[in-house]
Amino acid sequence: MSGFASRVRIAFRIALRELRGGLKGFYIFLACIALGTGAIAAVNSVSTAITDAISSEGRTLLAGDMRFELNNREANAEEQRFLQGLGTVSLTTALRSMARLPDGADQSLVELKAVDDAYPLYGSFTAEPDQPLSELLAQRNGAYGAVVAQLLLDRMNMAVGDEILVGNARFRINGVIVNEPDSISDGFGFAPRFLTSRTALLASGLTETGSLVEQAYKVRFSDPAPDPAIIRQRAQTELPNAGWSIRSSDRAAPALTENIERFSQFLTLVGLTALVVGGVGVANAVRAFLDSKRTVIATLKCVGAPASVVVMVYLIQITLVASVGILIGLVLGAIAPPITASYLAGILPISTEATLYPRALLLAAVFGILVTLAFAILPLGHARQVPATALFREQGFETRGLPSWPYLLATALALASLAALAIFSSEERRIATVFLIAMAAGFVLLRVVAYLIAVAARCSPRIHSAALRLAVGNIHRPGALTPAVTLSLGLGLSLLVALALIDGNLRRELTGNLPDRAPNFFFVDIQGSELDSFRSLVERQAPEGKLVEVPMLRGRILALNGTDVAKINVPPEGRWVLRGDRGLTYARNVPENSSVTEGAWWQDGYAGEPLVSFSEQEGRELGLKIGDTVTVNVLGRSITARIANFRKVQWESLSMNFVMVFSPNTFAGAPHAWLATLIDGEATSAEEATILRSVTQAFPTITTVRVKDALEVVDRLVGQLATAIRAAAALALIASVLVLSGALAAGNRARTHDAVILKTLGATRAMLIRAFTYEYMLLGAATALFALIAGGGIAWYVLSQIMKLPSNFLPDVAVMTILIALVVTIGIGLAGTWRILGQKAAPVLREL
């Protein structure tokens, strides 16, 4: 043991002395480690900052300790007694409606929210002008008060003090919303906020029976505060048929938290890709560094230093330099949350104060250490096997074969630890596993591609051009750059191509194909007494249009096969079906844009036990089969229906499609509203505006949604997400560029010898530049071709198999990818080669 400790001390002392000369040769190494570590640290720190803020500010974000949500009805007397027994209760009502100018000149969809005098129980509501909310919402001169989002004023060219109509009531806009504490927990809305009093809402006539209304009862506990889990259990036990959705302040915005965690996981995996791609750069940098130290290594071996000491010397140096890179990455990760907060202020609850998140930083540091070890051990193993005599003869580390088994085992353990950490630190382990398998397959495939490129170059016919012939020879010769270039650019470009194709197809679908297939309008909250008059009006305004009407209810799934859904482990892709309330309908016949794939549809006039038709994809994700039962709560009544069939639903049509369609006898006598769509492919924008104005004026309580407006909102969101994803994916391309630079640096000595010998034999600098340019062009084009195929395959799978959308190959993406590959490859290649071409021949020839 003392002998080993002595060798470690000696190795450590030699390593520190050598590092006095600076970090020359390690700059690319540093950049690769810092980039990947910083990406992982930043993503996880920002994610933790947001989720922690949601948790710590849960009461304010929820505007209560607990939230009990009912749809389409208010709590009955028994339910109200239960809620009031918990503490102070505040009721807010949310729905969508149309706001219109008094003269009928313009109208806009709004997210209407009505609050009572107790709102908010936590936090503070602020508006401009800064007045008490009760004064802003007070009724004066026959007009109810309202405060609205600035977007509504901009959209309708209005100002504070103007009047507006919503439903059957007249409102005066008394202010602009500055801070609405519970806006995040209430969920994302497609329309601007319109906040008023519950008294005004009742006067508007928008809360008729069957209207799509969310009633949120927010409770502030009396002291001492009870455990929310106990209250949840009591609510479900004492009032099993309430059908309310319960949320506590520690999970104030579960959908937002889950989406942030998923997006964070994706960006973490992208950062890991950059780090692993950078690992190849680490290997190249270590090999180039050891190559530059060949005389030192030879001297150490000749004076009796054991091979293990030599390996320890450079392992210690590599570890110390990697620590510097990791530290730089951690600093980047630590400053990311406050920087991000400055851009997200007012959107997400994230503090601008500098706060460290140790778990996120530790995770990134461990990733950096494991990548360093995984990619540095093999070059060290090669250096151990080279004898001193070979080093003095200027034979570098281009050793064929593999190092001894301890180095292979250590590398395998580091890679296995890296994979295990990536999987077990992920919320969605299956996705992380698939991602890592795909990355490993990509590495193997790129090595195969590099081999095939070399074989193709070796088998190519003889070319008359000396420069081109030299370029082809450089591609397949021993120690060629082909594997490094293919690997470094292949992964980054494939990821960029896949993301660009997904983004392009989504945008084409949203702005091109989808609007052509989608309805012009959705009409919501049509009362049964209005249906005939509404139908007549639409037929007059759009005689060539197709009006489709379906009954509409809201219900929440309580149990599957008698088991509470809260106790069922559902795959992530199916959880949305069980979260909150779902739209429900009943039908005698199979709905349009869907077809029965299994089971049978009920007969006309069926009067047996309640039956339900379930969407096939969602049903499979929930693990359901024909004959299983589904229990839903509708208007406070629990109904159990048996699955009679599965349907394949064309969700992309944007027509009226439902996850669950019940047999007509299921909801016999239940009050409900109607939902309708209008499809008129020939309608112009002016004609659509006329239809919208006519329906809004004649039926002020009907909510009209113009599909094109909704698609524009979605398109903006997709664009923002795509920008963020492309920025993250650019990390992988930057890492690829660093790897390519490292590969060139690692091969500089061999290139110098080649250039000097060729110049001695009569080659001009211009001819050598042409040769290197041809070489890099051929390698870049071959890599770009692989990226197009691989990225196109990934995009097709995501679009057609996951998103269930059409997938088309976009030529402009192909051209841009090839251009990027060529510019990057040729530019960096020539930049690294220029200095080599200027070497004097004599000093190099004396070393050969």
Side-chain angles (χ1 to χ4, degrees), residues 9 83 86 183 197 226 235 274 286 360 401 429 435 533 718 732-733 739 839:
R9 284 196 300 271
L83 295 172
L86 301 177
S183 60
S197 65
V286 170
R429 295 178 180 176
F435 188 90
S533 300
V718 170
L733 185 62
V739 172
Q839 290 283 340

Side-chain angles (χ1 to χ4, degrees), residues 610-652:
L611 298 178
V612 62
S613 173
F614 219 96
S615 171
E616 181 180 39
Q617 180 181 350
E618 285 70 25
R620 301 302 184 197
E621 290 170 350
L622 294 175
L624 299 174
K625 60 183 182 299
I626 301 296
D628 287 349
T629 61
V630 179
T631 302
V632 296
N633 185 280
V634 180
L635 298 175
R637 177 187 171 195
S638 294
I639 299 172
T640 299
R642 191 170 301 279
I643 298 177
N645 59 74
F646 285 118
R647 289 169 295 117
K648 182 178 181 181
V649 180
Q650 299 177 15
W651 297 107
E652 66 275 10

Side-chain angles (χ1 to χ4, degrees), residues 38-122:
I40 295 175
V43 168
N44 284 278
S45 293
V46 171
S47 172
T48 304
I50 297 174
T51 53
D52 284 358
I54 292 175
S55 178
S56 62
E57 299 293 328
R59 288 180 172 178
T60 300
L61 297 178
L62 198 67
D65 291 305
M66 291 195 78
R67 181 181 192 269
F68 297 78
E69 180 184 314
L70 292 171
N71 281 274
N72 309 327
R73 72 178 184 91
E74 293 188 13
N76 58 34
E78 183 182 8
E79 293 163 349
Q80 288 189 25
R81 283 195 298 271
F82 174 83
L83 295 172
Q84 290 168 358
L86 301 177
T88 306
V89 179
S90 172
L91 172 59
T92 62
T93 305
L95 54 88
R96 289 186 179 91
S97 186
M98 300 300 296
R100 60 196 190 281
L101 296 178
D103 61 1
D106 197 5
Q107 57 278 314
S108 173
L109 182 69
V110 294
E111 298 277 349
L112 190 148
K113 179 176 178 179
V115 301
D116 59 12
D117 295 337
Y119 173 86
L121 298 176
Y122 289 99

Side-chain angles (χ1 to χ4, degrees), residues 407-495:
Y407 294 90
L408 296 176
L409 178 61
T411 300
L413 289 175
L415 289 172
S417 300
L418 186 64
L421 180 63
I423 292 171
F424 288 105
S425 63
S426 173
E427 294 291 333
E428 305 291 347
R429 295 178 180 176
R430 184 180 64 86
I431 296 177
T433 302
V434 172
F435 188 90
L436 291 174
I437 292 174
M439 189 189 301
F443 268 84
V444 173
L445 187 58
L446 284 168
R447 293 294 294 183
V448 173
V449 169
Y451 172 77
L452 293 177
I453 293 174
V455 170
R458 189 179 299 113
C459 298
S460 63
R462 183 175 178 81
I463 304 169
H464 294 293
S465 169
L468 186 56
R469 187 164 63 248
L470 179 59
V472 172
N474 284 341
I475 291 175
H476 66 79
R477 69 171 192 172
L481 291 175
T482 305
V485 173
T486 305
L487 188 61
S488 61
L489 286 180
L491 285 176
L493 284 177
S494 297
L495 187 59

Side-chain angles (χ1 to χ4, degrees), residues 343-383:
Y343 291 97
L344 297 179
I347 301 175
L348 292 175
I350 178 172
S351 174
T352 56
E353 295 181 3
T355 304
L356 294 180
Y357 298 94
R359 184 181 180 277
L361 300 180
L362 178 61
L363 180 67
V366 175
F367 271 126
I369 292 170
L370 289 176
V371 166
T372 300
L373 293 177
F375 288 92
I377 291 175
L378 287 183
L380 288 169
H382 281 272

Side-chain angles (χ1 to χ4, degrees), residues 661-844:
V661 178
F662 290 81
S663 57
N665 63 313
T666 305
F667 303 117
H672 60 78
W674 289 75
L675 173 70
T677 59
L678 175 63
I679 304 174
D680 188 354
E682 303 301 322
T684 64
S685 297
E687 290 171 339
E688 287 185 345
T690 300
I691 295 171
L692 176 60
R693 184 167 52 254
S694 300
V695 172
T696 302
Q697 291 177 352
F699 302 97
T701 60
I702 293 178
T703 301
T704 306
V705 180
R706 187 170 179 264
V707 174
K708 289 182 180 179
D709 294 337
L711 289 179
E712 288 176 1
V713 175
V714 175
D715 185 48
R716 287 197 298 270
L717 290 175
V718 170
Q720 292 169 357
L721 286 175
T723 300
I725 292 173
R726 280 197 297 268
L731 292 175
L733 185 62
I734 294 172
S736 298
V737 171
L738 292 172
V739 172
L740 182 56
S741 302
L744 292 172
N748 271 350
R749 189 172 63 88
R751 288 281 165 136
T752 301
H753 292 168
D754 293 343
V756 167
I757 292 173
L758 289 171
K759 287 169 69 177
T760 303
L761 296 176
T764 64
R765 176 177 292 190
M767 192 271 283
L768 291 177
I769 290 177
R770 286 200 306 274
F772 290 137
T773 301
Y774 291 151
E775 177 186 357
Y776 300 140
M777 284 183 63
L778 292 172
L779 289 177
T783 306
L785 179 61
F786 166 81
L788 290 174
I789 297 173
I794 295 171
W796 170 85
Y797 180 81
V798 172
L799 288 165
S800 63
Q801 302 302 309
I802 297 178
M803 296 184 176
K804 305 299 180 183
L805 293 173
S807 175
N808 297 297
F809 186 78
L810 307 177
D812 53 334
V813 174
V815 173
M816 186 59 63
T817 303
I818 292 175
L819 289 177
I820 291 175
L822 294 178
V823 170
V824 170
T825 309
I826 297 173
I828 294 178
L830 292 180
T833 306
W834 186 262
R835 185 176 59 85
I836 294 174
L837 297 178
Q839 290 283 340
K840 299 293 183 180
V844 176

